[in-house]
Each structure stands twice: as C-alpha cells, then as structure tokens.
Amino acid sequence: MAKETIVIGLGNPLMADEGIGVVLIERLEALAREGKIPGADRIQFYDGGTGGMNLLHVLAGRRKAVLIDCARMGTEPGTIRRFTPDQVQTIKQLAHLSLHEVDILKVLDISRQLGECPEEVVFFGIEPLEICQRIGLSPLLEKQIPYCLHSILRDIAPAL
C-alpha cells in the first residue's frame, strides 16, 4: 500500500544546482532514518531524477505530494518558495526526442485524468546560482540546505 505522502526530489545532480531536489531528498531520507522526522513512517521520499512519465503512477494512492525542484523565479539564489500547481508556470523547453519526455505539470494533468492525482500537491522551488556541467551544488546552495530542509519539514511534518 502506498504511503500517505510522497516527497519527490527532481533534478539532475550532474548539472550543479539543478540537482538541488535530489540532494534535499537524500538529506530528508537521512533525517527520517535517524528518527528526526515525526510521522516519517507515513512518508515516502523519492528521487524523481529528471522527471518524466516514470513519475505518473508513483503519485497514485497518495493523499499529498510534495515536489522539490530547482526553479528560476527571478529571486536571489538560494531562495526557496512554496507553490500550488495553479501558481506554477513552466518555461521548460522540451526537445521532443522521446515519447517519455514531459514536464511535471503535464504528469499531474494526466494523473488527474486517470483519477490518481493526490488531493494536495505542493511545489518547493529553489532558485539556483549555477546550472552547468558539474557534480555538486554551488557553495551558496549548499549553505542554504538547512533552511530549505526546515521549510520543507514544516510542510510535511508540522509537529516539528
């Protein structure tokens, strides 16, 4: 049976700050293993990588989905913001080289059409400093990780 909440980190760790969602999922999983997240037994932490149609059925049977990704928002690098799907606008340019290529908003739309979309969906966007071919976050985003974790944990484990 699917856990009540799924927290999905999106991004490519080979592209510097573009991998922030995946890094945050790794840190959240570590906190859960250490018993530092109340109710963690009801939460699945999922490395969604670069997204796509493989996320479609991962959403099924959940009450809540939290999606974490790098986002160009026109804010200071390291800024984290919470959004609902209605507040998100994609500017992703798809190359259309694969039938599986799709952005997360389209995945949510298909999930709704299939009756599998969680009733509550939340996005956390983190403004990048650098997106380039390099493994690892910029020092600025690395420093922001505790603040990002705190912001996300307030949403998924409000008892903290």
Side-chain angles (χ1 to χ4, degrees), residues 48-154:
T50 54
M53 291 304 290
N54 61 329
L55 298 177
L56 180 61
H57 298 299
V58 171
L59 296 168
R62 317 297 180 144
R63 187 191 65 73
K64 181 176 183 175
V66 177
L67 303 151
I68 307 166
D69 200 1
C70 169
R72 294 266 189 212
M73 303 175 289
T75 58
E76 290 293 316
T79 300
I80 183 168
R81 288 206 172 146
R82 183 185 188 275
F83 301 97
T84 64
D86 293 339
Q87 296 170 314
V88 175
Q89 179 180 20
T90 187
I91 57 169
K92 191 176 205 175
Q93 300 291 320
L94 303 177
H96 301 292
L97 299 174
S98 165
L99 293 174
H100 301 282
E101 182 183 39
V102 62
D103 71 23
I104 190 63
L105 293 177
K106 186 65 179 170
V107 171
L108 290 173
D109 185 45
I110 295 169
S111 179
R112 276 188 204 96
Q113 291 177 33
L114 294 172
E116 296 180 349
C117 191
E119 63 187 67
E120 183 179 4
V121 178
V122 173
F123 285 88
F124 281 95
I126 297 101
E127 183 83 35
L129 176 65
E130 301 172 324
I131 297 180
C132 58
Q133 291 184 351
R134 189 190 72 230
I135 296 173
L137 301 176
S138 65
L140 186 139
L141 250 61
E142 192 67 46
K143 274 180 42 181
Q144 287 297 99
I145 284 178
Y147 178 69
C148 292
L149 290 172
H150 179 74
S151 297
I152 295 163
L153 286 169
R154 279 192 325 214

Side-chain angles (χ1 to χ4, degrees), residues 7-9 21-37 40 43 45-46 66 68 145 148-150 152-154 156 160:
V7 182
I8 302 173
V22 172
V23 169
L24 288 168
I25 283 298
E26 292 169 356
R27 306 285 173 95
L28 287 165
E29 284 180 316
L31 291 172
R33 279 192 306 273
E34 295 167 7
K36 295 181 178 174
I37 300 178
I43 303 169
F45 298 98
Y46 187 82
V66 177
I68 307 166
I145 284 178
C148 292
L149 290 172
H150 179 74
I152 295 163
L153 286 169
R154 279 192 325 214
I156 63 173
L160 283 177

